[in-house]
Amino acid sequence: MTQPHRSGHEVDPKLLELLVCPITKGPLDYDRTRQELISRAARLAFPIRDGIPIMLADEARRLEDSELGR
């Protein structure tokens, strides 16, 4: 049996439930539009490339206050 074709931009919802911020160990918000996982506590956005979350602080983008809704 073959696996269903998955877009490079899809992330397995079960995986998203398991992931936490590697720095704070807190929850992450999934930004489907920007393909990022957001850690509000760490003020970082972790990229998702080809459906794979890159959970490295060196690869994360710093979030501005305006992005945090403050």
Side-chain angles (χ1 to χ4, degrees):
M1 179 180 240
T2 61
Q3 294 289 328
H5 177 69
R6 296 184 67 131
S7 155
H9 296 289
E10 277 186 43
V11 179
D12 185 341
K14 291 181 182 182
L15 177 62
L16 292 176
E17 291 176 17
L18 297 173
L19 290 174
V20 296
C21 174
I23 296 165
T24 67
K25 309 300 185 234
L28 296 166
D29 295 324
Y30 177 41
D31 183 338
R32 184 180 304 268
T33 305
R34 293 190 78 158
Q35 288 296 294
E36 294 178 327
L37 292 174
I38 307 297
S39 172
R40 295 185 186 287
R43 301 174 61 93
L44 294 172
F46 296 93
I48 299 171
R49 296 186 188 125
D50 296 322
I52 301 170
I54 310 299
M55 304 305 293
L56 301 170
D58 291 346
E59 295 286 323
R61 178 176 67 82
R62 289 234 170 261
L63 295 172
E64 302 294 327
D65 286 341
S66 61
E67 295 177 283
L68 294 168
R70 294 183 180 163

